[in-house]
Amino acid sequence: MTGTGPAWPGGDKYPVIDILRGAAALTVVVYHVIAMTGWPGFPTSHGRLVFSYGWVGVNLFLVISGFVIGLTALNGYARNGSGFRAPYVRRRLARILPLYLLTGVVYVLLVESSLLQGPISNLVKQVAVHLLFVHNFSESTFGTINGPNWSVALEMQFYLLVLFITPWLARAPAWTTLVSGLAAAMLFRWASTLVLVPGVAPTMQQHVVSVWLPGVLDHFALGIFLAKAVRGEAGSRLQACLRTGWRPFVAWALVAAVLLRLAGWVLVDRPYWDNPLMIVGFPTLLAAGLSALVAAAITFPHPRSLLHRPLRYLGEISYGIYLWHVPVILSVIQRKLDWREDRLLTFVLVATVLLAAATWHLVEKPALDALQKDKA
């Protein structure tokens, strides 16, 4: 959700990953418009039904982050050893902080001004946990300053984890890292069902705990596994399957379609938070399908075609789309504008993309360019 495209061996990158980022961000936007406006008539066909489960876009962001950050850290460690840490930290902070702080301030001033009018102790608490990126640990701070920010905290915790475990990632066999991540996530989610008993515990509590970093390690681990695979660390056969070409692209796309269709069949019309098997197993099945989708993007045979350049641009500004869309939606809702839902959706999409584009060129890109100049 937050990268601009990883640095690959030879200074190249896989730009089609940006198309997935853009699609993920827009899917989340449509989902939140449906959920926050109470648009019961929207999911009336199979295609539209996808958007009613648009939170899957966040899961896709997590797999992409595992791939991008894993590959960037492994490449940096291979070149500079432990010296990779300083540029890694500077890059992550330059990428995350400027827009995160800007949208947070705008949200408090223009959308949720009640935080300024309430007890000063609550304001200090909210600001402190958001600055420390730990606001996703508690219901009382989860999503209070711009709802999507909970996943930014999760991403920052993952970045911190990678900072320390990269030497182990570089030494450990690819399959070991994958199995370790999958097992850790599933064991954590299983343990959470012992404390927050399905069918008894409040759903919001279950959700908050389920997306703590240990609970989504399977998503990150699958992305990291793909990163090690393209580096040749999972065997020459799998590395060959991740080279660009129509045959591997079609194969990975078919695998993704099968796994995601299976995940959809498992999810639709079945209770989730009341079922321990769903809580433990479904996220891993979904992450597997999404990782196959990322593999398809890696192998796409014409990654730099001008035909899909606009779609790649949406991926470049996807972090802004993700952070701006909820303030835009709430601004419309709070003003009680009597708009049809389809008109509201159009306005939210256009306004969000324009804001994201503006802050990409005026805030995010200059911060990254300044970092590059300092490095030079």
Side-chain angles (χ1 to χ4, degrees), residues 46-88:
H46 182 74
R48 292 178 175 183
L49 186 64
V50 172
F51 289 106
S52 64
Y53 294 93
W55 45 263
V56 170
V58 177
N59 298 76
L60 178 55
F61 278 134
L62 300 183
V63 176
I64 292 173
S65 287
F67 176 62
V68 171
I69 301 305
L71 189 57
T72 300
L74 288 168
N75 286 345
Y77 185 76
R79 289 191 302 267
N80 305 315
S82 59
F84 89 96
R85 289 194 170 101
Y88 170 87

Side-chain angles (χ1 to χ4, degrees), residues 319-374:
Y319 184 41
I321 293 173
Y322 188 70
L323 289 188
W324 279 119
H325 78 278
V326 166
V328 171
I329 295 171
L330 290 178
S331 295
V332 174
I333 292 175
Q334 289 176 357
R335 283 158 181 75
K336 298 181 179 179
L337 300 176
D338 188 20
W339 288 356
R340 295 197 320 265
E341 289 91 341
D342 55 346
R343 183 182 174 190
L344 186 147
L345 175 61
T346 301
F347 174 82
V348 168
L349 287 171
V350 172
T352 299
V353 169
L354 290 176
L355 280 169
T359 51
W360 165 248
H361 292 287
L362 298 176
V363 179
E364 300 172 78
K365 195 171 184 299
L368 293 170
D369 290 343
L371 185 65
Q372 289 297 111
K373 289 179 182 178
D374 290 342

